[in-house]
Amino acid sequence: MKILAIETSCDETSIALLEARGDRGDFPTFAIKKSIVASQIKIHAPFGGVVPNLAKREHEKNLPILYRKIFGAPANEKKLWTKIDLIAVTVGPGLEPALWAGITFAEGLAKKLKKPLVGANHLEGHLYSFLLSGGSKPNFPAVALIVSGGHTILLKMPDLYNWKKIGETRDDAVGEAYDKVARLLNLPYPGGPEIEKLAKHGDKRAIDFPRPMIYHKNYDFSFSGLKTAVRYYVVTHPGADKNVKTKADIAASFQEAALDVLIRKTARAIEETGAKTLFISGGVSINGELRRRFKKELGKKVKVYFPKREFCNDNAAMIATAAYIKFTQGKKYRPAAQANLNM
Ligand code: KG4
Ligand code: ZN
C-alpha cells in the first residue's frame, strides 16, 4: 500500500511517500520513496518559540512547494497519483491553526486524487518512527518513552499494535525544559541542540540540580521545578549566563538531572512490566548523551530502539507509519484538528 503523508502540527512542514507492507498481525515494513521536511526554525527563532499563526502561514506556503518536489512535472504527477492508496494527515496534538493547514491541504488532495483520507496521531507517529529504520523485529512486552517539545510520556505495550499510557509529565515536557533553560542561558531556539553542544564542555557534577519526582512510586514526571532551579541558580550567580565555563557547567548539570529522572523512571517501568524492549522517540531522542546513557544503563536489560536521527524531529514519514498501523486494525482518526489529542 502506498501512503502519502502530511505533517504540519508545529514548525516543520513535511510530506512523505511510503510503501507499507504487512497485513494485520504481520510485522509491518516501510520503504520510504520520498521524504521532505521544511523547517521553519529560522522564522520562529527571533520570537524564542513557535508562533501559531506564523506557522500556519508558512505551512500554507510550503505545502504546494513540497508537493511539487515530490511529484515533479504534471505528467509524472498523474503517474504517481494512480499508485497512491491512502492519504494520511496529522490531526493532533499540535497547534490548531498549523494542524488545519495540513488537514485542509490533505482534504483538497483527497478530493482531487479521489483517494481515502485518514487522520493520524502525531504522538503515535513518534512512537512508531523506529519502524522507518528497518532493523530487527522487536520482542514484546515493551516500554516506550516519548520525549518531545510538547510531551514526556511512558507507555507499556503488550504488542506493536496496543499501548497504554502509564505516566507523563505533570507540567513542562523535557524538550520544553531544554528550550527554557537555553533561553535562560541566552542561547537560541530550539534549545535542545544548543544545550547538548554546550554540555559537552561542562562538568555534569558541578551543580546538584534537583531530580523532581525521581523516587515517587509512579511513572509521572515534572520538569518545571528543574527549570526553576536553573533560573534560581542563574539569578543568584550574577554573570553565570555570560561566562562560557559556567554556562557549560549549568547545561551539563541540567542535562544530567533530566536524564537521571528519565532513566530511573523508565528502568522502573521496565522492571515492573517485565519489558524486553524499550522504544525511545521524539525530538529529544536525537540527543547523543541520552542515547549513550540509556544504552549503557538499560541496554543489558532490554533491547533499545531509537529512530534514525533524521526521523527524531517532526516528519511526515512517521505519520505514515502511525496511520498504517491504525489502518491495518480497521481504525482511523477523523480528519479534523484535535489540538489536545493525547495518547
Ligand atoms: O518532536 P519534536 O520535533 O517536536 C514536538 O513534537 O514537540 O521535538 C522538539 C523538541 C524541542 O524541544 C527541541 O529543543 C528538542 O526536541 N531537541 C533536543 C535536541 N534536538 C531537539 N533536545 C535535546 N537535545 C537535542 N539534541
Ligand atoms: Zn513531535
PDB file of all heavy atoms in Angstrom, residues 113-141:
ATOM      1  N   LEU A 113      -7.509  13.584  -5.952  1.00  0.00           N
ATOM      2  CA  LEU A 113      -6.977  12.262  -6.302  1.00  0.00           C
ATOM      3  C   LEU A 113      -8.026  11.156  -6.173  1.00  0.00           C
ATOM      4  O   LEU A 113      -7.790  10.032  -6.600  1.00  0.00           O
ATOM      5  CB  LEU A 113      -5.807  11.907  -5.375  1.00  0.00           C
ATOM      6  CG  LEU A 113      -4.563  12.767  -5.399  1.00  0.00           C
ATOM      7  CD1 LEU A 113      -3.724  12.537  -4.164  1.00  0.00           C
ATOM      8  CD2 LEU A 113      -3.737  12.437  -6.617  1.00  0.00           C
ATOM      9  N   LYS A 114      -9.150  11.520  -5.531  1.00  0.00           N
ATOM     10  CA  LYS A 114     -10.203  10.533  -5.225  1.00  0.00           C
ATOM     11  C   LYS A 114      -9.629   9.356  -4.429  1.00  0.00           C
ATOM     12  O   LYS A 114      -9.767   8.187  -4.791  1.00  0.00           O
ATOM     13  CB  LYS A 114     -10.888  10.058  -6.500  1.00  0.00           C
ATOM     14  CG  LYS A 114     -11.588  11.189  -7.237  1.00  0.00           C
ATOM     15  CD  LYS A 114     -12.489  10.649  -8.341  1.00  0.00           C
ATOM     16  CE  LYS A 114     -13.144  11.748  -9.117  1.00  0.00           C
ATOM     17  NZ  LYS A 114     -12.219  12.656  -9.811  1.00  0.00           N
ATOM     18  N   LYS A 115      -8.947   9.690  -3.360  1.00  0.00           N
ATOM     19  CA  LYS A 115      -8.316   8.676  -2.502  1.00  0.00           C
ATOM     20  C   LYS A 115      -8.829   8.840  -1.075  1.00  0.00           C
ATOM     21  O   LYS A 115      -9.184   9.947  -0.666  1.00  0.00           O
ATOM     22  CB  LYS A 115      -6.796   8.858  -2.483  1.00  0.00           C
ATOM     23  CG  LYS A 115      -6.147   8.837  -3.835  1.00  0.00           C
ATOM     24  CD  LYS A 115      -6.075   7.424  -4.393  1.00  0.00           C
ATOM     25  CE  LYS A 115      -5.496   7.468  -5.808  1.00  0.00           C
ATOM     26  NZ  LYS A 115      -5.410   6.190  -6.462  1.00  0.00           N
ATOM     27  N   PRO A 116      -8.836   7.752  -0.297  1.00  0.00           N
ATOM     28  CA  PRO A 116      -9.281   7.879   1.101  1.00  0.00           C
ATOM     29  C   PRO A 116      -8.299   8.710   1.922  1.00  0.00           C
ATOM     30  O   PRO A 116      -7.083   8.657   1.702  1.00  0.00           O
ATOM     31  CB  PRO A 116      -9.316   6.436   1.601  1.00  0.00           C
ATOM     32  CG  PRO A 116      -8.528   5.636   0.630  1.00  0.00           C
ATOM     33  CD  PRO A 116      -8.510   6.379  -0.677  1.00  0.00           C
ATOM     34  N   LEU A 117      -8.866   9.469   2.864  1.00  0.00           N
ATOM     35  CA  LEU A 117      -8.043  10.314   3.733  1.00  0.00           C
ATOM     36  C   LEU A 117      -8.238   9.857   5.174  1.00  0.00           C
ATOM     37  O   LEU A 117      -9.367   9.684   5.630  1.00  0.00           O
ATOM     38  CB  LEU A 117      -8.496  11.778   3.582  1.00  0.00           C
ATOM     39  CG  LEU A 117      -7.915  12.785   4.576  1.00  0.00           C
ATOM     40  CD1 LEU A 117      -6.423  12.963   4.360  1.00  0.00           C
ATOM     41  CD2 LEU A 117      -8.617  14.146   4.437  1.00  0.00           C
ATOM     42  N   VAL A 118      -7.130   9.644   5.891  1.00  0.00           N
ATOM     43  CA  VAL A 118      -7.248   9.289   7.311  1.00  0.00           C
ATOM     44  C   VAL A 118      -6.400  10.238   8.150  1.00  0.00           C
ATOM     45  O   VAL A 118      -5.376  10.747   7.703  1.00  0.00           O
ATOM     46  CB  VAL A 118      -6.804   7.824   7.603  1.00  0.00           C
ATOM     47  CG1 VAL A 118      -7.712   6.833   6.899  1.00  0.00           C
ATOM     48  CG2 VAL A 118      -5.343   7.596   7.221  1.00  0.00           C
ATOM     49  N   GLY A 119      -6.867  10.479   9.382  1.00  0.00           N
ATOM     50  CA  GLY A 119      -6.103  11.284  10.320  1.00  0.00           C
ATOM     51  C   GLY A 119      -5.108  10.410  11.063  1.00  0.00           C
ATOM     52  O   GLY A 119      -5.266   9.193  11.132  1.00  0.00           O
ATOM     53  N   ALA A 120      -4.066  11.040  11.605  1.00  0.00           N
ATOM     54  CA  ALA A 120      -3.081  10.286  12.400  1.00  0.00           C
ATOM     55  C   ALA A 120      -2.703  11.091  13.636  1.00  0.00           C
ATOM     56  O   ALA A 120      -2.722  12.320  13.621  1.00  0.00           O
ATOM     57  CB  ALA A 120      -1.838   9.990  11.561  1.00  0.00           C
ATOM     58  N   ASN A 121      -2.386  10.346  14.701  1.00  0.00           N
ATOM     59  CA  ASN A 121      -1.959  10.953  15.961  1.00  0.00           C
ATOM     60  C   ASN A 121      -0.450  11.183  15.901  1.00  0.00           C
ATOM     61  O   ASN A 121       0.334  10.243  15.712  1.00  0.00           O
ATOM     62  CB  ASN A 121      -2.330   9.984  17.100  1.00  0.00           C
ATOM     63  CG  ASN A 121      -1.973  10.526  18.466  1.00  0.00           C
ATOM     64  OD1 ASN A 121      -1.043  11.309  18.626  1.00  0.00           O
ATOM     65  ND2 ASN A 121      -2.711  10.091  19.472  1.00  0.00           N
ATOM     66  N   HIS A 122      -0.060  12.436  16.051  1.00  0.00           N
ATOM     67  CA  HIS A 122       1.349  12.813  15.979  1.00  0.00           C
ATOM     68  C   HIS A 122       2.221  11.993  16.956  1.00  0.00           C
ATOM     69  O   HIS A 122       3.343  11.597  16.624  1.00  0.00           O
ATOM     70  CB  HIS A 122       1.442  14.312  16.314  1.00  0.00           C
ATOM     71  CG  HIS A 122       2.813  14.864  16.272  1.00  0.00           C
ATOM     72  ND1 HIS A 122       3.409  15.295  15.109  1.00  0.00           N
ATOM     73  CD2 HIS A 122       3.726  15.062  17.256  1.00  0.00           C
ATOM     74  CE1 HIS A 122       4.621  15.742  15.390  1.00  0.00           C
ATOM     75  NE2 HIS A 122       4.851  15.610  16.677  1.00  0.00           N
ATOM     76  N   LEU A 123       1.671  11.732  18.140  1.00  0.00           N
ATOM     77  CA  LEU A 123       2.448  11.001  19.157  1.00  0.00           C
ATOM     78  C   LEU A 123       2.638   9.536  18.753  1.00  0.00           C
ATOM     79  O   LEU A 123       3.691   8.948  18.998  1.00  0.00           O
ATOM     80  CB  LEU A 123       1.758  11.098  20.523  1.00  0.00           C
ATOM     81  CG  LEU A 123       1.747  12.507  21.104  1.00  0.00           C
ATOM     82  CD1 LEU A 123       0.834  12.583  22.313  1.00  0.00           C
ATOM     83  CD2 LEU A 123       3.157  12.939  21.477  1.00  0.00           C
ATOM     84  N   GLU A 124       1.626   8.958  18.107  1.00  0.00           N
ATOM     85  CA  GLU A 124       1.796   7.598  17.579  1.00  0.00           C
ATOM     86  C   GLU A 124       2.833   7.603  16.460  1.00  0.00           C
ATOM     87  O   GLU A 124       3.549   6.624  16.260  1.00  0.00           O
ATOM     88  CB  GLU A 124       0.457   7.048  17.080  1.00  0.00           C
ATOM     89  CG  GLU A 124      -0.502   6.732  18.216  1.00  0.00           C
ATOM     90  CD  GLU A 124      -1.810   6.128  17.753  1.00  0.00           C
ATOM     91  OE1 GLU A 124      -2.186   6.290  16.567  1.00  0.00           O
ATOM     92  OE2 GLU A 124      -2.476   5.509  18.578  1.00  0.00           O
ATOM     93  N   GLY A 125       2.895   8.722  15.749  1.00  0.00           N
ATOM     94  CA  GLY A 125       3.936   8.865  14.723  1.00  0.00           C
ATOM     95  C   GLY A 125       5.320   8.752  15.357  1.00  0.00           C
ATOM     96  O   GLY A 125       6.167   7.974  14.915  1.00  0.00           O
ATOM     97  N   HIS A 126       5.549   9.517  16.426  1.00  0.00           N
ATOM     98  CA  HIS A 126       6.843   9.399  17.121  1.00  0.00           C
ATOM     99  C   HIS A 126       7.057   7.972  17.612  1.00  0.00           C
ATOM    100  O   HIS A 126       8.124   7.392  17.422  1.00  0.00           O
ATOM    101  CB  HIS A 126       6.901  10.368  18.306  1.00  0.00           C
ATOM    102  CG  HIS A 126       7.214  11.782  17.912  1.00  0.00           C
ATOM    103  ND1 HIS A 126       8.346  12.121  17.203  1.00  0.00           N
ATOM    104  CD2 HIS A 126       6.561  12.953  18.152  1.00  0.00           C
ATOM    105  CE1 HIS A 126       8.371  13.442  17.021  1.00  0.00           C
ATOM    106  NE2 HIS A 126       7.295  13.961  17.569  1.00  0.00           N
ATOM    107  N   LEU A 127       6.036   7.426  18.256  1.00  0.00           N
ATOM    108  CA  LEU A 127       6.139   6.078  18.832  1.00  0.00           C
ATOM    109  C   LEU A 127       6.613   5.054  17.800  1.00  0.00           C
ATOM    110  O   LEU A 127       7.481   4.233  18.076  1.00  0.00           O
ATOM    111  CB  LEU A 127       4.770   5.665  19.407  1.00  0.00           C
ATOM    112  CG  LEU A 127       4.629   4.227  19.898  1.00  0.00           C
ATOM    113  CD1 LEU A 127       5.533   3.958  21.089  1.00  0.00           C
ATOM    114  CD2 LEU A 127       3.177   3.938  20.275  1.00  0.00           C
ATOM    115  N   TYR A 128       6.027   5.110  16.593  1.00  0.00           N
ATOM    116  CA  TYR A 128       6.338   4.102  15.581  1.00  0.00           C
ATOM    117  C   TYR A 128       7.468   4.519  14.635  1.00  0.00           C
ATOM    118  O   TYR A 128       7.755   3.818  13.664  1.00  0.00           O
ATOM    119  CB  TYR A 128       5.069   3.782  14.773  1.00  0.00           C
ATOM    120  CG  TYR A 128       4.013   3.068  15.594  1.00  0.00           C
ATOM    121  CD1 TYR A 128       2.743   3.610  15.775  1.00  0.00           C
ATOM    122  CD2 TYR A 128       4.301   1.841  16.205  1.00  0.00           C
ATOM    123  CE1 TYR A 128       1.777   2.946  16.539  1.00  0.00           C
ATOM    124  CE2 TYR A 128       3.342   1.180  16.972  1.00  0.00           C
ATOM    125  CZ  TYR A 128       2.085   1.735  17.130  1.00  0.00           C
ATOM    126  OH  TYR A 128       1.146   1.078  17.886  1.00  0.00           O
ATOM    127  N   SER A 129       8.127   5.639  14.923  1.00  0.00           N
ATOM    128  CA  SER A 129       9.154   6.128  13.987  1.00  0.00           C
ATOM    129  C   SER A 129      10.351   5.188  13.885  1.00  0.00           C
ATOM    130  O   SER A 129      11.080   5.217  12.898  1.00  0.00           O
ATOM    131  CB  SER A 129       9.611   7.542  14.374  1.00  0.00           C
ATOM    132  OG  SER A 129      10.065   7.576  15.713  1.00  0.00           O
ATOM    133  N   PHE A 130      10.552   4.306  14.891  1.00  0.00           N
ATOM    134  CA  PHE A 130      11.667   3.344  14.800  1.00  0.00           C
ATOM    135  C   PHE A 130      11.468   2.385  13.633  1.00  0.00           C
ATOM    136  O   PHE A 130      12.422   1.818  13.102  1.00  0.00           O
ATOM    137  CB  PHE A 130      11.815   2.573  16.127  1.00  0.00           C
ATOM    138  CG  PHE A 130      10.805   1.485  16.314  1.00  0.00           C
ATOM    139  CD1 PHE A 130      11.085   0.184  15.920  1.00  0.00           C
ATOM    140  CD2 PHE A 130       9.548   1.755  16.860  1.00  0.00           C
ATOM    141  CE1 PHE A 130      10.146  -0.825  16.076  1.00  0.00           C
ATOM    142  CE2 PHE A 130       8.611   0.755  17.022  1.00  0.00           C
ATOM    143  CZ  PHE A 130       8.907  -0.538  16.624  1.00  0.00           C
ATOM    144  N   LEU A 131      10.210   2.209  13.200  1.00  0.00           N
ATOM    145  CA  LEU A 131       9.922   1.281  12.095  1.00  0.00           C
ATOM    146  C   LEU A 131      10.526   1.757  10.767  1.00  0.00           C
ATOM    147  O   LEU A 131      10.662   0.983   9.833  1.00  0.00           O
ATOM    148  CB  LEU A 131       8.404   1.114  11.928  1.00  0.00           C
ATOM    149  CG  LEU A 131       7.682   0.359  13.054  1.00  0.00           C
ATOM    150  CD1 LEU A 131       6.176   0.526  12.925  1.00  0.00           C
ATOM    151  CD2 LEU A 131       8.060  -1.122  13.027  1.00  0.00           C
ATOM    152  N   LEU A 132      10.868   3.038  10.706  1.00  0.00           N
ATOM    153  CA  LEU A 132      11.432   3.590   9.473  1.00  0.00           C
ATOM    154  C   LEU A 132      12.887   3.171   9.273  1.00  0.00           C
ATOM    155  O   LEU A 132      13.462   3.411   8.221  1.00  0.00           O
ATOM    156  CB  LEU A 132      11.332   5.123   9.481  1.00  0.00           C
ATOM    157  CG  LEU A 132       9.904   5.684   9.515  1.00  0.00           C
ATOM    158  CD1 LEU A 132       9.909   7.166   9.798  1.00  0.00           C
ATOM    159  CD2 LEU A 132       9.194   5.398   8.186  1.00  0.00           C
ATOM    160  N   SER A 133      13.486   2.573  10.297  1.00  0.00           N
ATOM    161  CA  SER A 133      14.900   2.185  10.190  1.00  0.00           C
ATOM    162  C   SER A 133      15.083   0.765   9.692  1.00  0.00           C
ATOM    163  O   SER A 133      16.210   0.303   9.560  1.00  0.00           O
ATOM    164  CB  SER A 133      15.570   2.283  11.565  1.00  0.00           C
ATOM    165  OG  SER A 133      15.270   3.493  12.166  1.00  0.00           O
ATOM    166  N   GLY A 134      13.994   0.037   9.448  1.00  0.00           N
ATOM    167  CA  GLY A 134      14.140  -1.394   9.141  1.00  0.00           C
ATOM    168  C   GLY A 134      14.571  -2.061  10.431  1.00  0.00           C
ATOM    169  O   GLY A 134      13.956  -1.843  11.465  1.00  0.00           O
ATOM    170  N   GLY A 135      15.643  -2.805  10.400  1.00  0.00           N
ATOM    171  CA  GLY A 135      16.176  -3.394  11.629  1.00  0.00           C
ATOM    172  C   GLY A 135      15.391  -4.615  12.078  1.00  0.00           C
ATOM    173  O   GLY A 135      14.405  -5.011  11.449  1.00  0.00           O
ATOM    174  N   SER A 136      15.831  -5.179  13.189  1.00  0.00           N
ATOM    175  CA  SER A 136      15.251  -6.443  13.638  1.00  0.00           C
ATOM    176  C   SER A 136      13.863  -6.233  14.241  1.00  0.00           C
ATOM    177  O   SER A 136      13.526  -5.142  14.701  1.00  0.00           O
ATOM    178  CB  SER A 136      16.165  -7.082  14.679  1.00  0.00           C
ATOM    179  OG  SER A 136      16.288  -6.206  15.776  1.00  0.00           O
ATOM    180  N   LYS A 137      13.096  -7.311  14.243  1.00  0.00           N
ATOM    181  CA  LYS A 137      11.740  -7.278  14.791  1.00  0.00           C
ATOM    182  C   LYS A 137      11.834  -7.255  16.317  1.00  0.00           C
ATOM    183  O   LYS A 137      12.511  -8.102  16.903  1.00  0.00           O
ATOM    184  CB  LYS A 137      11.056  -8.570  14.315  1.00  0.00           C
ATOM    185  CG  LYS A 137       9.589  -8.556  14.359  1.00  0.00           C
ATOM    186  CD  LYS A 137       9.094  -9.806  13.645  1.00  0.00           C
ATOM    187  CE  LYS A 137       7.815 -10.277  14.285  1.00  0.00           C
ATOM    188  NZ  LYS A 137       7.285 -11.464  13.642  1.00  0.00           N
ATOM    189  N   PRO A 138      11.162  -6.315  16.977  1.00  0.00           N
ATOM    190  CA  PRO A 138      11.289  -6.238  18.432  1.00  0.00           C
ATOM    191  C   PRO A 138      10.474  -7.304  19.163  1.00  0.00           C
ATOM    192  O   PRO A 138       9.473  -7.790  18.647  1.00  0.00           O
ATOM    193  CB  PRO A 138      10.732  -4.840  18.749  1.00  0.00           C
ATOM    194  CG  PRO A 138       9.873  -4.487  17.597  1.00  0.00           C
ATOM    195  CD  PRO A 138      10.332  -5.250  16.401  1.00  0.00           C
ATOM    196  N   ASN A 139      10.931  -7.646  20.366  1.00  0.00           N
ATOM    197  CA  ASN A 139      10.182  -8.566  21.224  1.00  0.00           C
ATOM    198  C   ASN A 139       9.268  -7.771  22.150  1.00  0.00           C
ATOM    199  O   ASN A 139       9.591  -6.650  22.518  1.00  0.00           O
ATOM    200  CB  ASN A 139      11.152  -9.392  22.065  1.00  0.00           C
ATOM    201  CG  ASN A 139      11.912 -10.369  21.216  1.00  0.00           C
ATOM    202  OD1 ASN A 139      11.334 -11.046  20.366  1.00  0.00           O
ATOM    203  ND2 ASN A 139      13.227 -10.431  21.408  1.00  0.00           N
ATOM    204  N   PHE A 140       8.169  -8.395  22.542  1.00  0.00           N
ATOM    205  CA  PHE A 140       7.224  -7.741  23.449  1.00  0.00           C
ATOM    206  C   PHE A 140       7.039  -8.594  24.693  1.00  0.00           C
ATOM    207  O   PHE A 140       7.341  -9.785  24.643  1.00  0.00           O
ATOM    208  CB  PHE A 140       5.893  -7.510  22.722  1.00  0.00           C
ATOM    209  CG  PHE A 140       6.008  -6.411  21.693  1.00  0.00           C
ATOM    210  CD1 PHE A 140       6.398  -6.699  20.386  1.00  0.00           C
ATOM    211  CD2 PHE A 140       5.788  -5.082  22.057  1.00  0.00           C
ATOM    212  CE1 PHE A 140       6.542  -5.677  19.451  1.00  0.00           C
ATOM    213  CE2 PHE A 140       5.924  -4.071  21.114  1.00  0.00           C
ATOM    214  CZ  PHE A 140       6.305  -4.368  19.816  1.00  0.00           C
ATOM    215  N   PRO A 141       6.591  -8.049  25.824  1.00  0.00           N
ATOM    216  CA  PRO A 141       6.121  -6.683  26.030  1.00  0.00           C
ATOM    217  C   PRO A 141       7.260  -5.666  25.956  1.00  0.00           C
ATOM    218  O   PRO A 141       8.425  -5.993  26.141  1.00  0.00           O
ATOM    219  CB  PRO A 141       5.525  -6.723  27.441  1.00  0.00           C
ATOM    220  CG  PRO A 141       6.244  -7.836  28.123  1.00  0.00           C
ATOM    221  CD  PRO A 141       6.520  -8.851  27.065  1.00  0.00           C
TER     222      PRO A 141
END
